[in-house]
Amino acid sequence: MEKKFFERPIINKINAGIPDKFGMGNQLNPISTIDGVAVKDLIAEHGSPVFVLSEKTIQDIYQDAYQAFSTRYPKVQFAWSYKTNYIDAVCRTFHKLGSWAEVVSGFEYQKALENGVPGNQIIFNGPDKNEADLRLAIENASLIHIDHFDELYLIIRLADETNKRPKVAIRVNMDNGIYPQWDRFGFNYENGDAWNALNRIMLSKKLDLVGLHTHIGTYILAPFGYGNAAKVLADLAIGLDRKYNHKIKYIDMGGGFASKNTLKGAYLPGSDTCPSFDEYAEAITNALINSSIDPENMPVLFLETGRALIDDAGSLLGSVIGNKRLKDGRRATILDIGVNMLFTSFWYEHIVVPAQATSKYTEDTTLYGPLCMNIDVIRDAIQFPSMKIGDQVVVKRVGAYNMTQWMQFITYRPKVVLIDRKGKVHTIRNRENIDSIRSLEVVPDYLK
Amino acid sequence: MMKIKKNIAVSESGFVFDAGTGETYSLNPVGVEIVKLMNEGKNQEEISNYFLSNYEVSQGIFESAYFDFVSILNQYNLIER
Ligand SMILES: Cc1ncc(COP(=O)(O)O)c(C=O)c1O
């Protein structure tokens, strides 16, 4: 007689109708391939854990976003937000699609140059630009977005010293109906600082005021906030035209569109609550088109979208290290994926699914990482099937911020691969090794 | 030898009702079978032998799954003491 397939015995408490924090026991569909490449082959070849990016998804989402804006507004330009994911192959993928570069440090600026972005297609944002950074940016005719008055005065001095006309914009913050209101970057609209800065720039006659910029926050679920912010920038543009007969060349609405990830504590999944690119585009372009900006001189609309363009294109593959029972009976599964490489697990309920067929019976489970730290929790509460040592999992939507904010802690940061349009897998960042870390260390002679 | 408490009804489909607390539970098919064997008065060794001869499973795997399962039954207070 043929023996039956053995599945671990499971008992689950039924909570009539009311989904608890573990969610309804809906079935998990395994993800066994990414763009046609088997997860088990990716892990066999590149190790576990490994980040996998999809060129196809990047392209599809970019086209979707570009179309949403370009069908509503005549002149649209995206600038890739380097901090979101500055692995060169990722940046180049965006540059190939037509994106400029948006950087916030000398390091990111250097990367953009070395990725072949012409200086005049680099937007330099943020509060941290030192004198050398600014000299280089002025030399290269990059677009410098001024954050505060000290920076403004420094740029005026450098304009004198270099005999060049720096191309500048100011970053503006305002009450746009979204809370929390980000007021620590740029010049405030309501208290008059924004006008104060614009007047100083115009009266100095030494700078080329080319644009107006805002970035109202990140993971913004309310498109109306963008509409309000665009109205404020349009209002400033109209004022500049009226007062100085000066027409700005662009309005930069920054980044901040939500991705489909689910925020911790959210009642509904992000895929249900996240506005579409069309909704954001509608709010922004309506505000600009319906303003009294001279229709013959509509500024170019810049967008610095980060997370919404890359989150879906990244997956993190990993393996089960072991299982245990916690004191309260909850099942715990330990993965080789820790919060050191999945920074976003601090604010997202990431979708984690098995990479192979599993039992259809799931249990309330906590997914832990491998670090010796209590905070190393990938999912606090998830309905998960039982997994054996070595079974593989896929964490979805991890393309944004993880490959830049990851920490080297206890072990090495994993490899990153990119699957191209044709299904070919390319290593785009190697796994760290002991030398990549030790090469920066210096042991003083007396300890040798 | 362990038994499921008397006031607990287990149906073939795996639905479990604890009349003492009003709580309900669901078992997967292997869970149903183990509970049935326990209620027939089988001890751990007998249950283990039954599984080893009828299922594709090693002794080690079965026992760790079995003890894990029993610890949850205990946790939910379903076992006669
Ligand atoms: C100035 C600026 N632009 C763009 C971005 C990208 O934002 P997001 O990833 O939310 O689209 C950021 C992120 O913090 C930013 O600070």
Side-chain angles (χ1 to χ4, degrees):
Chain A
M1 189 193 77
E2 193 156 322
K3 288 188 175 181
K4 288 192 268 186
F5 174 73
F6 179 77
E7 185 161 62
R8 277 180 61 254
I10 290 176
I11 181 163
N12 276 322
K13 195 182 255 180
I14 301 169
N15 299 309
I18 308 155
D20 62 6
K21 64 175 183 165
F22 292 89
M24 293 291 260
N26 45 9
Q27 208 176 322
L28 291 164
N29 289 320
I31 296 179
S32 56
T33 63
I34 295 175
D35 287 2
V37 185
V39 168
K40 69 174 178 1
D41 295 345
L42 285 163
I43 287 183
E45 174 105 356
H46 301 282
S48 177
V50 57
F51 276 102
V52 180
L53 289 158
S54 155
E55 181 184 29
K56 179 180 184 307
T57 309
I58 293 177
Q59 289 175 346
D60 290 351
I61 294 179
Y62 180 86
Q63 296 307 349
D64 196 22
Y66 185 78
Q67 196 172 337
F69 284 90
S70 63
T71 50
R72 291 178 169 84
Y73 196 81
K75 299 178 274 185
V76 178
Q77 178 63 54
F78 278 83
W80 176 240
S81 156
Y82 265 48
K83 73 175 85 58
T84 311
N85 188 320
Y86 44 57
I87 295 180
D88 287 338
V90 171
C91 298
R92 284 168 192 242
T93 303
F94 280 102
H95 298 325
K96 243 172 78 180
L97 289 166
S99 273
W100 292 9
E102 184 270 327
V103 304
V104 293
S105 66
F107 158 71
E108 289 188 356
Y109 189 93
Q110 202 60 43
K111 260 190 161 248
L113 283 182
E114 283 169 26
N115 281 325
V117 183
N120 61 9
Q121 297 183 9
I122 302 177
I123 295 170
F124 202 164
N125 274 324
D128 177 26
K129 315 174 188 88
N130 64 30
E131 188 168 323
D133 295 337
L134 286 170
R135 280 182 191 274
L136 186 61
I138 292 169
E139 186 61 39
N140 289 329
S142 300
L143 308 172
I144 304 171
H145 289 185
I146 305 171
D147 180 70
H148 52 269
F149 281 110
D150 284 337
E151 184 185 356
L152 172 54
Y153 297 135
L154 174 56
I155 294 173
I156 291 177
R157 170 162 73 74
L158 294 176
D160 270 338
E161 286 176 26
T162 57
N163 239 339
K164 292 228 151 68
R165 282 181 73 77
K167 290 196 170 1
V168 302
I170 61 162
R171 176 160 172 177
V172 181
N173 69 66
M174 76 290 284
D175 179 5
N176 50 56
I178 303 268
Y179 294 92
Q181 187 187 329
W182 283 24
D183 65 355
R184 57 166 287 194
F185 301 109
F187 301 92
N188 184 253
Y189 175 68
E190 285 82 16
N191 74 2
D193 269 355
W195 261 116
N196 203 350
L198 293 173
N199 287 332
R200 276 168 210 227
I201 291 171
M202 293 311 295
L203 295 173
S204 81
K205 301 203 190 325
K206 294 191 171 118
L207 314 181
D208 245 351
L209 178 66
V210 286
L212 294 165
H213 173 229
T214 190
H215 170 73
I216 63 175
T218 193
Y219 201 94
I220 302 291
L221 287 168
F224 73 81
Y226 284 96
N228 292 339
K231 268 189 215 143
V232 166
L233 297 192
D235 183 56
L236 292 172
I238 296 156
L240 283 164
D241 197 7
R242 226 176 263 150
K243 183 163 177 186
Y244 297 102
N245 193 22
H246 179 81
K247 292 176 176 38
I248 52 132
K249 306 285 189 299
Y250 66 86
I251 281 184
D252 180 348
M253 294 302 300
F257 303 155
S259 77
K260 294 193 178 66
N261 263 311
T262 304
L263 285 183
K264 282 206 161 149
Y267 188 66
L268 292 169
S271 50
D272 292 353
T273 54
C274 167
S276 64
F277 288 120
D278 286 304
E279 291 171 79
Y280 292 115
E282 191 73 14
I284 292 173
T285 60
N286 277 350
L288 297 181
I289 288 168
N290 297 332
S291 74
S292 4
I293 298 181
D294 171 12
E296 295 300 312
N297 286 294
M298 288 303 276
V300 179
L301 171 58
F302 279 28
L303 295 153
E304 303 168 348
T305 311
R307 123 182 17 255
L309 288 181
I310 187 78
D311 233 1
D312 275 22
S315 308
L316 178 54
L317 318 184
S319 311
V320 172
I321 294 176
N323 292 292
K324 57 165 68 167
R325 281 279 166 208
L326 303 178
K327 193 167 82 347
D328 63 0
R330 215 167 359 129
R331 188 175 175 77
T333 295
I334 306 160
L335 305 173
D336 60 3
I337 294 170
V339 294
N340 54 330
M341 69 190 74
L342 197 64
F343 205 80
T344 50
S345 54
F346 289 127
W347 60 82
Y348 286 148
E349 306 272 24
H350 276 297
I351 296 176
V352 187
V353 294
Q356 54 281 305
T358 56
S359 158
K360 67 183 186 331
Y361 298 98
T362 57
E363 265 186 282
D364 294 353
T365 304
T366 298
L367 298 178
Y368 288 111
L371 308 175
C372 292
M373 308 242 318
N374 208 27
I375 58 161
D376 192 24
V377 181
I378 297 302
R379 279 295 301 272
D380 180 39
I382 186 173
Q383 279 286 325
F384 218 64
S386 81
M387 303 277 284
K388 297 189 301 294
I389 295 176
D391 278 354
Q392 295 162 349
V393 298
V394 177
V395 189
K396 283 178 60 173
R397 291 198 184 108
V398 299
Y401 295 103
N402 285 305
M403 283 156 258
T404 48
Q405 294 193 44
W406 52 4
M407 288 173 276
Q408 192 273 310
F409 179 61
I410 295 185
T411 181
Y412 306 120
R413 282 177 282 206
K415 202 185 223 195
V416 183
V417 302
L418 172 71
I419 304 179
D420 72 16
R421 271 284 352 172
K422 300 195 187 88
K424 189 158 185 273
V425 184
H426 307 264
T427 297
I428 59 170
R429 193 182 195 273
N430 278 306
R431 179 174 183 261
E432 288 172 339
N433 58 40
I434 191 140
D435 292 329
S436 34
I437 294 146
R438 257 200 334 220
S439 66
L440 297 172
E441 294 187 18
V442 183
V443 178
D445 278 341
Y446 80 96
L447 290 174
K448 280 181 183 159
Chain B
M1 192 183 69
M2 279 177 292
K3 270 195 157 178
I4 298 293
K5 281 186 184 162
K6 277 218 180 55
N7 58 359
I8 288 170
V10 182
S11 55
E12 284 291 327
S13 65
F15 183 74
V16 179
F17 178 60
D18 181 343
T21 62
E23 294 283 6
T24 53
Y25 305 85
S26 71
L27 289 163
N28 67 348
V30 171
V32 174
E33 228 168 333
I34 293 181
V35 166
K36 243 194 327 203
L37 293 169
M38 286 165 95
N39 281 347
E40 285 168 13
K42 301 274 194 300
N43 61 25
Q44 185 225 319
E45 201 185 327
E46 290 166 311
I47 295 176
S48 182
N49 286 338
Y50 168 84
F51 272 91
L52 294 185
S53 49
N54 288 290
Y55 281 82
E56 199 58 67
V57 65
S58 70
Q59 181 153 8
I61 299 241
F62 177 76
E63 283 183 5
S64 81
Y66 175 82
F67 285 121
D68 182 52
F69 181 63
V70 168
S71 76
I72 297 299
L73 296 180
N74 261 320
Q75 180 86 33
Y76 289 149
N77 242 326
L78 302 178
I79 288 182
E80 203 74 73
R81 285 182 207 272

